[in-house]
Amino acid sequence: MIVLLLGPPGSGKGTQGRRLSQRFHIPYLASGDLLRRAIEQDSLFGREVRQYIERGLYVPDKIMVPAAIEELNKLRREQGVRGAVLDGFPRTRDQAEALDSALTAEGTRVDRALLLNVPREVLIPRLAGRRVCRSCNASYHIDHKPPPADGRCEVCGGEVIQRVDDKPEMVDGRLTVYFERTLPLVAYYQQQGRLVQIDGNLSESDVTGSLVGAAEAVAAAAAQRAPAVASEGASRGAHA
Ligand code: AMP
């Protein structure tokens, strides 16, 4: 099962994506994490993409698509499954079409795009108060879930920071880019009957419940289509 989390910055894709990945035993690919890791490592790729991230702009498709598809394949190979939770990739229509062709070639596809709807006026304070662990990307919020007083992540001990692109002067621009460039993807998946809309303005656990419900429906439909593959996945404890 391959599910894509769609939604504006601050809609909870990271938190929810990790939960879905654990729940269904499939890898979690967050394109933003992939890019930030490359920047941390100061790789050639990291140096190339840094200029875009720091200005709140999308990394061009011709750089983003091969990197994301390579990472997706690597994660699935490592875990020995065909499924994945995608967060932040694809983010443009061209990216979605490129991913569709790659997946069609191997006989899979994005089963569902799960859109987290959160009003803009809620997103701005969520992003402005967000703090993240530099190492494991665990997410905090200065009001609702403050990071430990020593500034160290409670999960891994890494440094908790504010992302450059979460600074108040960047947030508005990022939201505008999302509404212009990513919203057309919603229509793309809707036309193909692959979109599920989720109210993302509820408690984290309620949002998780809705997402798990939607993903279980996908897994059940896949099991009906291909009982042999599904039972093989179930015996490994995975909806792969
Ligand atoms: P995120 O962590 O998903 O909010 O992504 C942070 C930033 O990484 C975005 O604002 C973009 O600059 C860049 N980025 C992440 N994913 C993509 C993508 N699929 N295409 C282009 N740029 C991306």
Side-chain angles (χ1 to χ4, degrees), residues 7-10 13-14 28 30-36 39 49-61 63-65 68 87-92 95 127 130 137 163 165-166 170 174 177 181-182:
K13 300 188 298 297
Y28 167 65
S31 50
D33 292 351
L34 170 70
L35 298 170
R36 281 184 291 275
I39 293 174
V49 300
R50 175 180 218 136
Q51 53 180 317
Y52 300 101
I53 298 208
E54 290 189 346
R55 285 185 290 154
L57 301 174
Y58 282 3
V59 172
D61 292 344
I63 310 179
M64 193 66 236
V65 169
D87 162 4
F89 176 84
R91 217 178 183 102
T92 64
Q95 291 181 10
L127 287 167
R130 178 161 73 178
N137 296 300
R163 275 170 48 173
D165 55 352
D166 279 349
M170 303 279 295
R174 280 172 68 210
V177 171
R181 309 249 352 244
T182 301

Side-chain angles (χ1 to χ4, degrees), residues 76-89:
R76 295 191 301 165
R77 233 182 3 256
E78 281 168 3
Q79 293 193 27
V81 297
R82 281 153 64 94
V85 177
L86 304 177
D87 162 4
F89 176 84

Side-chain angles (χ1 to χ4, degrees), residues 15-228:
T15 302
Q16 300 296 343
R18 286 187 192 89
R19 289 185 183 182
L20 284 182
S21 154
Q22 282 170 3
R23 170 76 177 68
F24 292 96
H25 310 283
I26 49 180
Y28 167 65
L29 167 63
S31 50
D33 292 351
L34 170 70
L35 298 170
R36 281 184 291 275
R37 222 169 27 244
I39 293 174
E40 275 295 303
Q41 291 162 353
D42 201 26
S43 66
L44 209 61
F45 175 64
R47 275 180 241 158
E48 202 171 358
V49 300
R50 175 180 218 136
Q51 53 180 317
Y52 300 101
I53 298 208
E54 290 189 346
R55 285 185 290 154
L57 301 174
Y58 282 3
V59 172
D61 292 344
K62 68 175 191 310
I63 310 179
M64 193 66 236
V65 169
I69 292 182
E70 187 186 322
E71 180 72 2
L72 172 64
N73 290 336
K74 179 177 141 239
L75 291 172
R76 295 191 301 165
R77 233 182 3 256
E78 281 168 3
Q79 293 193 27
V81 297
R82 281 153 64 94
V85 177
L86 304 177
D87 162 4
F89 176 84
R91 217 178 183 102
T92 64
R93 191 176 167 128
D94 284 351
Q95 291 181 10
E97 287 173 356
L99 177 65
D100 274 348
S101 336
L103 293 177
T104 303
E106 60 168 59
T108 56
R109 63 174 203 158
V110 173
D111 293 288
R112 279 300 172 278
L114 308 172
L115 171 65
L116 291 171
N117 287 312
V118 179
R120 195 176 178 127
E121 62 273 17
V122 175
L123 295 168
I124 291 174
R126 273 197 195 181
L127 287 167
R130 178 161 73 178
R131 300 292 181 270
V132 294
C133 171
R134 199 174 202 137
S135 305
C136 74
N137 296 300
S139 186
Y140 299 88
H141 191 282
I142 50 172
D143 297 327
H144 322 299
K145 192 185 171 194
D150 63 359
R152 293 275 148 197
C153 173
E154 64 194 14
V155 179
C156 75
E159 187 189 0
V160 177
I161 54 154
Q162 180 174 35
R163 275 170 48 173
V164 180
D165 55 352
D166 279 349
K167 304 253 185 221
E169 63 275 19
M170 303 279 295
V171 163
D172 217 45
R174 280 172 68 210
L175 290 173
T176 301
V177 171
Y178 168 80
F179 287 110
E180 279 173 7
R181 309 249 352 244
T182 301
L183 221 50
L185 265 192
V186 172
Y188 176 78
Y189 288 111
Q190 190 156 34
Q191 277 155 14
Q192 301 175 16
R194 291 194 271 166
L195 184 80
V196 176
Q197 307 223 26
I198 305 276
D199 184 353
N201 196 22
L202 303 172
S203 71
E204 276 183 11
S205 58
D206 284 347
V207 176
T208 306
S210 309
L211 289 168
V212 166
E216 274 173 345
V218 174
Q224 271 193 339
R225 276 199 311 274

